[in-house]
Amino acid sequence: MTQVLAARTADAALRARAGSVIPGGMYGHMNVAGMPDAFPQFFTAGEGSRLWDADGNEYIDFMCGWGPVVLGRKDPAVEAAVRAQLDTGDLLDGPSPVMVDLAELLVEVVPHADWAMLAKNGTDATTACVTIARASTGRRKILIATGGYHGAIPWCTPRAGGVLPEDRAHLGYFEYNDVASLEAAVAEAGNDLAGIIIAPVRQELARDQEMATVEFARAIRTICDRTGAVMILDDVRCGFRLDLGGSWEPLGVQPDLAAWSKAIANGYSLAAITGRDSLRQGATGIYITGSFWYSAVSMAASIATLTQLRDTDALARMADAGRRLRDGLAIQAAAHGFAVRQTGPVQMPLMRFADDTADSTLARIWTNEAVKRGVYLHPVHNWFVSAAHTPEDVDQALERTDDAFAELSRLVG
């Protein structure tokens, strides 16, 4: 398949303008400065499973806004709920009744939840969970898996610029899926252990995803019960995509607190904290807030999103699309002579080349060729599948990724 991209004149002009008024030209996880050359920086539209960049190039999108889009962009039911709420009001001088409606829905669909609080970003939610754990226990130490990502704020950001040792003075670390390492960190924290925060899946850049074992998940639950520490599930990335009630529900493990965001409102900015009754007083006593945390529009979008996830086959469609994509890529890789590893949940897949370099050279070339052909994938971060990805979408994407494999084979000889 020949290259489908239009000339990048609009994107180049926007990058030049951004370089004058935005530090570094762009920042954060959506900065493509270090990405292969075919990746656009700016996008102008999205619908369903499709995305258009500033030059009008169309992509079958397997990043879904880096996770928030779970039903597909411009989902009719979500957009109708947004318009109806906009007609009434968004930011008022107090929350809209929709806040209570959403909290009730979260308590209904999340088995461990006796209450819910709402915020804006995943970092808001994880930080609130840590704060509630400390307030509820009167202890200081929080344990985190080495390399685990829980947000972009000094206590947890993966980049050390501007971070003081004091910001992390009461954090302890253990290895994911390693019960002995976890027990050692618990012993070191001693009677000052406030909580353990853990992601449902180990998802670090440029490495295979690692599903939690039942033994490991249950060990965290047992340790928290034994010590009186708070078990915090950081379900920001996985939540509402793998299981409506929480990503460790299939393992039979429920947390005391959970942090949610990304897929909670199909792309509208919202986060949530859910917790058990035993932590209600601690949650009541802390002070967290934000000028935009009470946006009624995002809450209306969330109700429409969660209702569809509950009442339709959206979760099953995502899993089917993810399996179809994964199976197709496995066949293609083998046909072109490449050994690959596909890891993580099928709804959040990642493919890595077995013989790749430390800086993921093969993955970068292959995803660059896929992007040139209108399939938006990431070389080192996990991808996302939405309920809008039809079998036809996946098959069309696979036609193009097959061409990307062929080009990779030609380029690397």
Side-chain angles (χ1 to χ4, degrees):
M1 182 176 294
T2 57
Q3 182 169 320
V4 298
L5 295 183
R8 284 287 175 68
T9 54
D11 191 76
L14 284 164
R15 292 193 199 205
R17 289 169 55 195
S20 297
V21 294
I22 297 172
M26 192 51 58
Y27 50 86
H29 64 293
M30 291 192 179
N31 183 0
V32 300
M35 297 288 282
D37 60 6
F39 281 74
Q41 181 65 80
F42 293 93
F43 295 88
T44 57
E47 184 167 357
S49 64
R50 307 288 169 139
L51 195 64
W52 287 266
D53 69 20
D55 288 285
N57 297 301
E58 179 182 330
Y59 306 88
I60 304 171
D61 176 27
F62 289 104
M63 286 305 289
C64 297
W66 294 65
V69 178
V70 68
L71 298 173
R73 289 183 172 84
K74 297 173 67 174
D75 175 80
V78 174
E79 297 307 304
V82 165
R83 287 192 298 271
Q85 188 60 54
L86 275 171
D87 286 342
T88 302
D90 184 17
L91 281 172
L92 308 172
D93 283 356
S96 164
V98 73
M99 183 177 188
V100 181
D101 297 336
L102 176 54
E104 288 175 339
L105 180 57
L106 286 165
V107 169
E108 173 194 329
V109 301
V110 177
H112 80 264
D114 295 311
W115 52 264
M117 301 172 74
L118 301 167
K120 270 294 165 195
N121 301 291
T123 302
D124 298 335
T126 56
T127 302
C129 286
V130 167
T131 306
I132 292 167
R134 286 171 167 157
S136 298
T137 62
R139 305 172 187 173
R140 298 175 295 175
K141 304 296 183 183
I142 300 292
L143 301 185
I144 301 175
T146 302
Y149 179 79
H150 299 290
I153 201 170
W155 75 268
C156 58
T157 179
R159 296 190 180 180
V163 176
L164 304 177
E166 292 85 351
D167 293 323
R168 304 184 181 194
H170 297 293
L171 299 182
Y173 299 91
F174 57 91
E175 297 303 316
Y176 200 94
N177 268 341
D178 186 331
V179 176
S181 171
L182 174 63
E183 288 281 11
V186 169
E188 184 174 352
N191 294 330
D192 205 15
L193 179 60
I196 301 171
I197 185 167
I198 189 71
V201 180
R202 184 174 186 173
Q203 295 166 311
E204 297 171 34
L205 291 179
R207 62 163 293 156
D208 294 347
Q209 296 186 85
E210 185 177 350
M211 306 287 284
T213 65
V214 175
E215 177 191 20
F216 178 67
R218 290 180 178 172
I220 296 176
R221 180 69 273 168
T222 298
I223 287 167
C224 288
D225 290 340
R226 184 184 77 219
T227 62
V230 177
M231 179 182 170
I232 304 167
L233 189 65
D234 177 356
D235 228 346
V236 168
R237 191 183 298 193
C238 301
F240 302 125
R241 204 173 226 102
L242 310 188
D243 189 287
L244 187 61
S247 296
W248 275 1
E249 280 297 302
L251 303 184
V253 176
Q254 294 179 357
D256 301 309
L257 291 172
W260 312 81
S261 191
K262 288 198 183 290
I264 193 172
N266 200 46
Y268 287 88
S269 54
L270 189 71
I273 305 98
T274 55
R276 298 184 185 275
D277 260 332
S278 59
L279 300 169
R280 188 186 295 263
Q281 184 175 352
T284 302
I286 68 170
Y287 186 77
I288 53 171
T289 193
S291 297
F292 302 100
W293 283 21
Y294 303 91
S295 165
V297 166
S298 295
M299 296 177 193
S302 181
I303 291 174
T305 301
L306 298 180
T307 299
Q308 286 194 72
L309 292 175
R310 182 192 63 190
D311 296 344
T312 73
D313 65 345
L315 287 167
R317 294 202 309 274
M318 276 186 282
D320 289 344
R323 280 189 290 269
R324 192 181 192 94
L325 178 64
R326 179 172 285 180
D327 292 347
L329 291 175
I331 293 169
Q332 291 175 359
H336 289 280
F338 292 102
V340 299
R341 296 190 300 271
Q342 298 197 68
T343 59
V346 294
Q347 305 92 325
M348 302 169 63
L350 175 65
M351 188 189 79
R352 301 185 68 231
F353 290 81
D355 300 320
D356 215 344
T357 61
D359 57 355
S360 304
T361 298
L362 295 177
R364 289 178 179 276
I365 296 172
W366 179 75
T367 53
N368 202 46
E369 294 302 323
V371 166
K372 289 179 182 179
R373 291 158 175 78
V375 182
Y376 197 87
L377 300 162
H378 197 283
V380 295
H381 191 286
N382 74 272
W383 314 328
F384 295 91
V385 176
S386 79
H389 284 98
T390 66
E392 293 76 19
D393 288 329
V394 176
D395 290 346
Q396 186 178 30
L398 287 169
E399 291 177 9
R400 300 176 183 184
T401 57
D402 194 44
D403 287 341
F405 274 116
E407 182 65 9
L408 174 64
S409 182
R410 186 188 72 82
L411 291 171
V412 302

